[in-house]
Amino acid sequence: MRWSGRPGVALFLGVVLSFSGTPGSSSLDIPLEVEQLPTITAQSPNTMIAFPFDESYSMRCAAKGNPEPEFRWTKNGQEFDPDQDPRLLPPEDGSGTFIIPNNGNLSEFQGIYRCYASNKLGTAISEEIEFVVPHVPKFPKEKIDPIEVEEGQPVTLKCNPPKGIPPLQIYWMTIGLQHIEQDERVSIGLNGNLYFANALERDSRRDYCCFASFSRIRTIVQKTAMSLVVRNTGLKTDSAPGSGFANSILKSKPSLLSPPGVQTYTHLVKGQALMLECIAAGYPTPKVEWIRVGQGLPDRAIVENHGKVLHIPNVQQEDEGQYKCKAKNGHGEASHFFHVTVEEPPQWTTRPESQISMIGSDVLIKCVATGNPKPTISWRVNGLALNEVPAANRKVFDNKIILERANSSDSAVYQCEASNKHGTILANANIMIMNLPPVIVTEDSLQYSAVQGKTIVLHCKTFSSPPSVITWSKEDSADSVTGPRFFLHDNGSLEISAVEEGDMGEYSCIAKNREGSRAITAFLDIKEPTKIVDPPMDLRILVGTTAQFVCQAEFDRSFNHEMETYWLKDSVVIALNDTENMGYLVDDGILQIANVSYSDQGRYSCVVRSPVDQDIASAHLIVTDVPDAPEDLMLSELSGKSVKLKWIPGDDHNSSTTAFVIEFEESQREPGIWREAQRVPGSHTSALLKLHGHADYRFRVSGVNEVGQGRPSEPSESYKTPARAPDKNPENIKIEGHLPHEMDINWEPLAPIEHNGPGLEYKVSYRQQGTGDEDWQEHVVKRHSFIVKGTPTFVPYEIKIQARNHKGWAPEPRVIVGYSGEDFPSAAPDDVAVEVVNNTLVKVSWARVHKDKLHGRLGGYRVNWWRLRSLLASKKSHGEKHALTFPGDRSHALVPGLRPFSEYSLIVMAFNGRGNGPGSHPVTFRTPEGVPDQISVLRTMDIKKHSVSLSWSPPVEPNGVLTGYLLQYQLINDTEEVGPLVSVNVSDPDASKWLLPDLEAMSKYKFYLRACTRLGCGPATSEECATTPEATPTGTSSRNFSLASIHGGISTQGWFIGLMCAVALLTLILLIACFVNRNKGGKYSVKEKEDLHPDVESQGMNDDTFCEYSDNDEKPLKGSLHSTSGDMKPADSGDSLVDYGEEEAQFNEDGSFIGEYTGRKEKPSTENKANTQITA
């Protein structure tokens, strides 16, 4: 069964009983239903400090037993009844605990307490609990006389701090709370005294104060201020040249201020910190060294306080030995020995154990402890000394007690106490002597559920004396369950591993001893495992978007209403009802995290839990974002022309920074506008930036990663560069000649920031090339253009432009070559000839115009042509003009898109940047015959049972002399198969009708008709109709027949005849209007003359277009004309390749089409009206 996570309630599978002890007791696992001795389960710590800021203090003592224990207390060895003191508060849980309120009289309760828990079987006692009421430490009020010392002599200021709760921290400060500075000469000792190895005159002051801080009671106390006077004797010495005045007493060898004597014996407890201190006097100030006699210092040893303290933390037994400090200066040395002994408080080696023994058996109670010094062992029984409770069968030794042939009356709580000077430890041992039949604590008839392949434990918690033998059987079988998958624990529980379906059923647990037997049953049910089948997947997601984790699971159907699902983030349960988790939404096993932030990153786990098992699946959420803004921008290596910018990258938010974008602001010219200066790789944290002169810069940096560009940093400090000459000259210089005797020079001006200083201007220098004149014509201008007048037509000039400002000139500019203005070509191409390639394509050739007649840079040649007439017509007319431009120096071109069987006229002209030259003499040529266009009209008439009449009109463009028609038809009833194609040749070119006999009745046919010339037949026109069950009236078309058949002779109705007449009249009026409109306009003779002799002065380059060409002259036109086969449509072989208008087409050198036709708009003739556009 599939489950997407609904809350449920887990099934409790079994009962596990455990009995825990406390320090100082050894607990037996005995059900409380059985009579037993008391056992201390909880007590207060061995030392309780009554801090003044606490409201109360709980003296805890809890115990268990059957019968229920009763409690009593002793204080300082005397009976103490808390119930008799109304100031003490009783417990609420029925234990022996009492509460001491902090009401100001705590000192009355200071002492050592012990708790006794008793029932009729015996008494257990707690360890001693010391209740300490600290007094507020105070320095005594005293008057301290000033301390006087000669300069160079040692001096000690004693603190003598009051006693209090450790830890104690000593500070020496002035009245103004300024710390006394410590160094090799001045230091605070471990005892709190302030030591001066040698006093100097500057040490004199009247406010040396010792402060003692007791952090546990939050108290700091101050000693009366002390005055120190250091006298200068003013004696001279000559021992050190150039030393001036000095005190002769300053020269002294080292002596020890602390510790006194030559050796010290130090005892401390294992685990404490060893602190050895040597503070030396002398001048110059001695230096202290530490050694360990016979071996090196421990690796953990630390030298502190300017070498005066040797600190070994957590001291161990191997740290024992002899240590030596040695103080040295140039006048001698002093040393001191420390004999370190590490001792230990008592610790159990063998703790006395609680035990149950049968009546008549011997009982051994053993108690062994170690420590340094060796601890002493003392025994008690039920809290009393052994001599107070004599027993004939009890034998006592140093570390053990033996009870011979014990009886039930020997049941008691034995206490063993081990003590040395560092502490005392106590252990209770419950010794129970009894015979008892089995008691099974586990509830009978428990239901257990397990998952196939997992492990299940069936409980059978038993208590008895002597111990019981436990056996398990299944389904009322007398045989015990056995096998490698079954394991019987010492406590009676049966563990079944790798559970199988066959393990389902009823089990019995039987406990037996010589006192009796007891049995319980348990039922085991096997469930399908819970399995997450659609786990959450790792996500990388942009901050601020929504993350979604899916978790779908399958589980046992019987748990349909008991399943539970929840989500963890980094192993912590997501509390969906918590206000801190408002961004989480769980619905149908999908966890959505809205408006993801960086704190949402982590490992998300879906937990699906049934009453018997669970499955977990995890995924990581990685939140990405643009990089944070870099920080700490710093400018360095400032040179006026460059600066080095450094920065500290911001957090990349789990997407590596790929680049840093450096931007600048120039506050003098463009304040507030930031422009990109440079980009550097994301691994860089600095960049060297080139700078312009006379600019006020600020910089900022932003990081870029795969998410995008982050926020920019805060701007750097400003840096203003000094003015200097321009670094560069103008670029993108353009030389143009709009008029024949002028030369226009234009250039891209320097950006304002490139001026590098005030007063920018440009020097324009030019000279005609090839004249031998080395002098430059120079002009200084402030604008970015200059016109040179009076130049020859189209001659080369050398030109250079140099920038300058008030600081000087830019580098020497480079020289470029340009030409002066052009004029129209003055000659037309000669020897124009036309070679007909096919019925739609001709090759035009000509003689090139001489370069002296071009008066400029040759742009190419333009071919203009127009259709005069179809060869079937006798009257000529001026058709629409077409033009093609062929760039470059060439002598031939291909002209495509012509009409077959037509007469054309053609001229060629050269052009340059100024415009077109004169046209050549017109050349007339004819195109050969082609196949006809598609028939425009095909109708079916006089449809009968076995025949159909067809009528048609000839093609608009026959493209040659018609020789007849090809008529084809076939049966196309509403099936996938069609009938054979039947062909009929109509040899009469003037025919417009044809009767097809011998057709099948009530059948559908499709007819195809093509017009033909000697070169072949054109594309087909088709029509469909169906024969009738009976003959239709003559002259009725197929469409009329269908309509009549549907409406049952509607055409014979009077209203229908009137409607048809009105439609016919309107159609006639529209046709007349169109005819009149198409025949408006003047004659063609003037237009034809203009095309033959174009006005060269009025022809500019505004309509010209230049393109590239391929190299193959005979290459067919790509993409401009359709096939000229019989499938060509009428519009596919028109006169031009473009719409009407003045567009021009361009061709490669071989004449292949790459552009548009061009030509002057004219009103086309009736002959050309339908065929003036073709799609290229």
Side-chain angles (χ1 to χ4, degrees):
M1 183 171 184
R2 192 177 180 87
W3 180 68
S4 59
R6 291 189 300 274
V9 180
L11 176 65
F12 182 68
L13 299 182
V15 180
V16 178
L17 296 181
S18 64
F19 299 89
S20 61
T22 61
S25 68
S26 177
S27 178
L28 279 175
D29 195 3
I30 305 175
L32 280 175
E33 293 85 353
V34 178
E35 276 195 352
Q36 57 186 281
L37 293 161
T39 301
I40 300 291
T41 58
Q43 73 162 76
S44 295
N46 296 92
T47 301
M48 289 180 61
I49 299 175
F51 295 114
F53 41 79
D54 291 336
E55 294 182 358
S56 61
Y57 315 93
S58 178
M59 195 69 69
R60 297 178 61 223
C61 182
K64 67 173 184 176
N66 188 359
E68 190 77 23
E70 295 179 353
F71 298 91
R72 64 184 179 89
W73 287 86
T74 62
K75 176 184 176 185
N76 298 327
Q78 303 296 317
E79 290 292 327
F80 175 76
D81 189 356
D83 296 334
Q84 300 301 316
D85 192 334
R87 295 171 297 177
L88 301 181
L89 303 177
E92 297 180 358
D93 56 1
S95 67
T97 303
F98 64 90
I99 298 172
I100 304 173
N102 187 355
N103 54 13
N105 55 354
L106 292 177
S107 59
E108 298 181 29
F109 300 102
Q110 181 165 296
I112 298 176
Y113 293 80
R114 175 164 272 167
C115 173
Y116 294 76
S118 304
N119 63 14
K120 68 179 184 179
L121 301 178
T123 300
I125 64 175
S126 70
E127 294 188 69
E128 290 183 338
I129 305 169
E130 183 179 8
F131 185 65
V132 179
V133 180
H135 67 279
V136 177
K138 293 181 182 180
F139 280 104
K141 292 183 179 181
E142 56 184 334
K143 182 179 179 181
I144 304 175
D145 295 329
I147 301 173
E148 296 184 4
V149 66
E150 292 183 357
E151 191 170 20
Q153 294 299 309
V155 64
T156 302
L157 302 184
K158 295 185 178 181
C159 180
N160 296 325
K163 293 183 179 180
I165 301 297
L168 168 64
Q169 182 71 44
I170 301 296
Y171 303 94
W172 280 88
M173 294 187 286
T174 67
I175 292 295
L177 301 182
Q178 295 293 321
H179 284 272
I180 303 300
E181 186 176 350
Q182 299 183 63
D183 53 23
E184 291 181 345
R185 188 179 63 87
V186 182
S187 59
I188 300 174
L190 296 177
N191 58 5
N193 294 339
L194 181 63
Y195 294 96
F196 295 82
N198 46 79
L200 300 178
E201 189 174 4
R202 67 171 181 265
D203 295 327
S204 296
R205 62 184 312 126
R206 302 172 59 187
D207 58 349
Y208 283 98
C209 296
C210 178
F211 292 83
S213 172
F214 300 88
S215 58
R216 295 187 69 184
I217 60 174
R218 306 176 188 177
T219 300
I220 298 177
V221 292
Q222 175 185 346
K223 186 180 179 72
T224 304
M226 287 180 273
S227 176
L228 175 62
V229 179
V230 180
R231 296 190 305 272
N232 186 347
T233 61
L235 297 178
K236 293 184 179 180
T237 180
D238 298 327
S239 60
S243 61
F245 288 96
N247 195 326
S248 61
I249 306 177
L250 288 177
K251 294 188 292 183
S252 59
K253 71 175 186 177
S255 62
L256 292 179
L257 298 175
S258 177
V262 295
Q263 60 183 358
T264 302
Y265 290 88
T266 301
H267 299 266
L268 72 162
V269 177
K270 179 180 176 182
Q272 292 181 340
L274 172 62
M275 306 287 284
L276 303 180
E277 179 182 58
C278 279
I279 298 178
Y283 186 87
T285 302
K287 293 185 179 296
V288 178
E289 297 177 357
W290 291 91
I291 61 173
R292 187 179 181 185
V293 179
Q295 53 186 310
L297 291 174
D299 293 337
R300 293 174 288 111
I302 305 169
V303 177
E304 300 173 346
N305 196 11
H306 304 282
K308 302 169 190 175
V309 173
L310 179 66
H311 176 198
I312 302 178
N314 189 25
V315 71
Q316 300 297 313
Q317 200 73 40
E318 59 268 20
D319 297 324
E320 282 189 339
Q322 189 177 22
Y323 293 81
K324 177 183 178 182
C325 74
K326 185 164 58 175
K328 295 192 301 183
N329 67 9
H331 302 286
E333 66 179 48
S335 59
H336 189 89
F337 291 91
F338 296 87
H339 301 273
V340 177
T341 302
V342 178
E343 299 180 344
E344 293 185 66
Q347 289 185 337
W348 294 120
T349 301
T350 303
R351 184 191 191 97
E353 296 291 336
S354 297
Q355 51 188 294
I356 301 173
S357 299
M358 294 181 293
I359 296 173
S361 62
D362 292 340
V363 178
L364 173 64
I365 310 170
K366 195 171 183 180
C367 178
V368 181
T370 62
N372 187 9
K374 183 179 178 180
T376 58
I377 301 294
S378 62
W379 291 91
R380 299 185 189 187
V381 58
N382 292 330
L384 301 174
L386 294 182
N387 57 8
E388 297 181 30
V389 187
N393 63 338
R394 182 171 63 212
K395 292 184 178 180
V396 180
F397 302 91
D398 287 341
N399 57 2
K400 63 182 177 182
I401 292 178
I402 298 176
L403 300 177
E404 296 178 339
R405 296 182 298 277
N407 204 334
S408 59
S409 60
D410 293 321
S411 296
V413 182
Y414 282 79
Q415 288 90 23
C416 177
E417 194 170 55
S419 304
N420 68 8
K421 67 178 183 178
H422 297 297
T424 300
I425 55 176
L426 179 140
N428 288 281
N430 290 6
I431 307 301
M432 297 191 65
I433 312 300
M434 64 171 63
N435 287 357
L436 185 70
V439 176
I440 298 180
V441 180
T442 303
E443 183 181 349
D444 193 12
S445 302
L446 280 179
Q447 298 280 346
Y448 294 86
S449 295
V451 175
Q452 292 186 38
K454 302 294 184 180
T455 297
I456 184 70
V457 176
L458 308 183
H459 298 289
C460 187
K461 188 73 171 178
T462 305
F463 176 76
S464 64
S465 179
S468 299
V469 176
I470 308 295
T471 58
W472 283 85
S473 60
K474 184 184 176 189
E475 304 288 357
D476 297 329
S477 172
D479 298 330
S480 299
V481 290
T482 57
R485 296 188 300 109
F486 297 90
F487 178 76
L488 183 62
H489 289 271
D490 292 339
N491 63 3
S493 298
L494 177 65
E495 180 178 328
I496 308 174
S497 59
V499 172
E500 301 173 353
E501 189 173 356
D503 296 330
M504 184 186 302
E506 179 181 323
Y507 290 79
S508 297
C509 172
I510 303 172
K512 290 183 180 180
N513 70 359
R514 67 187 185 186
E515 302 294 327
S517 65
R518 180 77 184 273
I520 61 169
T521 58
F523 300 91
L524 178 60
D525 189 12
I526 308 301
K527 304 291 186 180
E528 291 291 331
T530 301
K531 184 178 181 181
I532 296 176
V533 295
D534 190 1
M537 308 298 290
D538 290 344
L539 292 178
R540 287 178 62 89
I541 194 166
L542 184 64
V543 67
T545 58
T546 298
Q548 181 172 289
F549 289 111
V550 176
C551 182
Q552 303 289 333
E554 294 177 348
F555 59 95
D556 194 280
R557 289 180 177 272
S558 63
F559 296 139
N560 195 34
H561 300 292
E562 300 176 89
M563 296 300 296
E564 178 186 11
T565 187
Y566 55 90
W567 290 84
L568 309 176
K569 179 181 182 293
D570 297 330
S571 302
V572 178
V573 176
I574 298 175
L576 298 177
N577 57 351
D578 195 332
T579 55
E580 295 182 1
N581 298 322
M582 295 297 291
Y584 294 103
L585 175 65
V586 176
D587 183 24
D588 195 25
I590 298 175
L591 172 66
Q592 285 190 342
I593 310 170
N595 193 23
V596 168
S597 65
Y598 304 131
S599 62
D600 293 320
Q601 283 192 138
R603 182 172 180 263
Y604 288 82
S605 302
C606 169
V607 181
V608 181
R609 176 181 292 172
S610 74
V612 297
D613 71 337
Q614 69 177 32
D615 196 10
I616 184 169
S618 301
H620 285 86
L621 175 63
I622 299 175
V623 180
T624 62
D625 195 4
V626 296
D628 282 348
E631 299 175 344
D632 299 338
L633 269 65
M634 184 175 68
L635 301 179
S636 63
E637 302 180 17
L638 290 79
S639 68
K641 290 188 176 182
S642 65
V643 67
K644 188 169 187 179
L645 177 65
K646 298 180 181 179
W647 62 88
I648 297 176
D651 193 337
D652 62 8
H653 296 303
N654 301 306
S655 178
S656 298
T657 302
T658 57
F660 286 103
V661 179
I662 304 169
E663 298 175 303
F664 70 91
E665 175 201 40
E666 206 291 299
S667 57
Q668 290 187 153
R669 300 173 181 83
E670 296 179 322
I673 297 177
W674 292 86
R675 302 188 184 278
E676 183 173 327
Q678 191 175 337
R679 285 185 180 235
V680 298
S683 58
H684 290 196
T685 57
S686 65
L688 187 64
L689 306 175
K690 294 182 179 180
L691 306 179
H692 295 286
H694 194 57
D696 195 355
Y697 283 100
R698 288 200 306 167
F699 302 95
R700 67 184 188 185
V701 184
S702 57
V704 179
N705 60 13
E706 64 177 3
V707 179
Q709 183 170 339
R711 293 183 298 103
S713 66
E714 291 296 321
S716 69
E717 59 180 315
S718 297
Y719 176 54
K720 190 170 184 177
T721 57
R724 64 174 187 268
D727 296 321
K728 58 182 292 188
N729 288 301
E731 298 175 344
N732 297 328
I733 301 173
K734 295 182 180 179
I735 312 299
E736 298 175 326
H738 298 292
L739 295 175
H741 302 293
E742 291 185 354
M743 180 171 62
D744 293 350
I745 305 174
N746 295 277
W747 59 89
E748 183 178 316
L750 297 183
I753 198 171
E754 296 173 335
H755 290 188
N756 281 3
L760 183 77
E761 52 190 8
Y762 304 99
K763 181 175 71 174
V764 181
S765 304
Y766 59 89
R767 65 184 178 188
Q768 188 173 340
Q769 191 180 48
T771 62
D773 187 3
E774 296 184 359
D775 295 333
W776 292 87
Q777 300 290 324
E778 296 180 346
H779 297 272
V780 177
V781 297
K782 293 187 177 180
R783 61 184 182 275
H784 55 275
S785 64
F786 183 75
I787 299 177
V788 182
K789 297 184 179 293
T791 62
T793 301
F794 197 66
V795 295
Y797 277 83
E798 294 179 343
I799 300 148
K800 61 181 181 179
I801 301 174
Q802 187 175 18
R804 76 172 181 184
N805 60 19
H806 291 342
K807 290 292 183 178
W809 292 96
E812 182 66 23
R814 64 184 182 90
V815 177
I816 64 170
V817 177
Y819 283 81
S820 58
E822 298 179 279
D823 203 350
F824 295 108
S826 59
D830 294 327
D831 301 330
V832 177
V834 177
E835 176 186 348
V836 177
V837 178
N838 57 41
N839 52 25
T840 62
L841 178 69
V842 297
K843 181 178 181 181
V844 182
S845 60
W846 59 85
R848 294 180 174 88
V849 176
H850 193 273
K851 65 178 181 178
D852 295 337
K853 301 295 184 179
L854 291 175
H855 304 304
R857 185 177 289 104
L858 177 65
Y861 292 88
R862 175 171 287 136
V863 178
N864 292 349
W865 76 93
W866 55 92
R867 188 185 185 199
L868 297 176
R869 67 185 178 94
S870 169
L871 293 181
L872 294 176
S874 58
K875 182 180 178 181
K876 293 185 178 180
S877 62
H878 192 293
E880 182 177 355
K881 186 186 73 172
H882 303 278
L884 283 177
T885 298
F886 301 94
D889 188 11
R890 57 190 300 133
S891 61
H892 64 274
L894 295 176
V895 177
L898 304 177
R899 270 287 179 188
F901 209 57
S902 299
E903 185 176 359
Y904 283 90
S905 185
L906 176 148
I907 64 172
V908 182
M909 63 188 73
F911 65 88
N912 60 17
R914 177 78 168 144
N916 296 328
S920 65
H921 293 291
V923 176
T924 301
F925 63 93
R926 295 183 177 184
T927 56
E929 195 172 15
V931 298
D933 286 355
Q934 192 177 37
I935 293 172
S936 57
V937 178
L938 173 63
R939 294 188 179 91
T940 55
M941 306 289 291
D942 196 15
I943 301 171
K944 297 182 179 179
K945 184 176 182 181
H946 295 290
S947 65
V948 172
S949 292
L950 300 174
S951 67
W952 62 87
S953 59
V956 176
E957 289 291 346
N959 295 335
V961 179
L962 292 179
T963 59
Y965 297 90
L966 174 62
L967 174 62
Q968 296 173 309
Y969 63 94
Q970 63 186 152
L971 190 66
I972 58 164
N973 285 335
D974 296 330
T975 61
E976 294 183 359
E977 296 183 0
V978 297
L981 189 65
V982 180
S983 299
V984 177
N985 288 316
V986 180
S987 58
D988 183 5
D990 297 325
S992 61
K993 294 183 180 180
W994 195 263
L995 175 67
L996 289 175
D998 304 326
L999 303 180
E1000 295 183 11
M1002 298 181 65
S1003 298
K1004 190 174 182 180
Y1005 284 88
K1006 188 168 186 176
F1007 306 96
Y1008 309 91
L1009 185 63
R1010 295 177 171 84
C1012 303
T1013 63
R1014 287 175 298 176
L1015 264 72
C1017 298
T1021 299
S1022 63
E1023 180 71 5
E1024 296 179 7
C1025 79
T1027 55
T1028 62
E1030 59 184 21
T1032 59
T1034 302
T1036 304
S1037 69
S1038 62
R1039 294 182 179 84
N1040 291 338
F1041 169 74
S1042 300
L1043 186 63
S1045 64
I1046 294 172
H1047 295 285
I1050 193 172
S1051 59
T1052 60
Q1053 303 298 318
W1055 63 268
F1056 180 76
I1057 296 174
L1059 177 62
M1060 292 298 101
C1061 290
V1063 171
L1065 179 61
L1066 289 173
T1067 303
L1068 179 61
I1069 293 172
L1070 289 174
L1071 289 174
I1072 294 172
C1074 291
F1075 181 80
V1076 172
N1077 184 61
R1078 291 177 62 181
N1079 285 277
K1080 284 183 179 181
K1083 303 295 184 179
Y1084 287 99
S1085 57
V1086 175
K1087 179 64 179 174
E1088 183 174 357
K1089 182 177 181 181
E1090 291 177 352
D1091 290 336
L1092 291 174
H1093 304 286
D1095 181 6
V1096 296
E1097 295 296 332
S1098 63
Q1099 299 182 37
M1101 291 302 295
N1102 297 335
D1103 301 331
D1104 299 337
T1105 308
F1106 297 86
C1107 293
E1108 297 180 354
Y1109 260 70
S1110 64
D1111 297 330
N1112 185 4
D1113 284 350
E1114 306 306 323
K1115 183 178 179 180
L1117 188 65
K1118 183 181 294 184
S1120 60
L1121 294 176
H1122 291 277
S1123 170
T1124 57
S1125 67
D1127 294 332
M1128 179 182 286
K1129 296 182 180 180
D1132 291 342
S1133 58
D1135 290 335
S1136 86
L1137 298 178
V1138 295
D1139 297 326
Y1140 295 117
E1142 296 184 0
E1143 295 85 356
E1144 297 178 358
Q1146 297 181 356
F1147 280 75
N1148 290 328
E1149 292 184 357
D1150 60 355
S1152 57
F1153 176 73
I1154 61 171
E1156 299 176 323
Y1157 289 99
T1158 184
R1160 301 179 185 273
K1161 286 189 178 180
E1162 297 177 356
K1163 295 180 177 62
S1165 66
T1166 304
E1167 180 183 11
N1168 296 333
K1169 181 69 178 180
N1171 301 298
T1172 58
Q1173 180 175 348
I1174 208 163
T1175 301

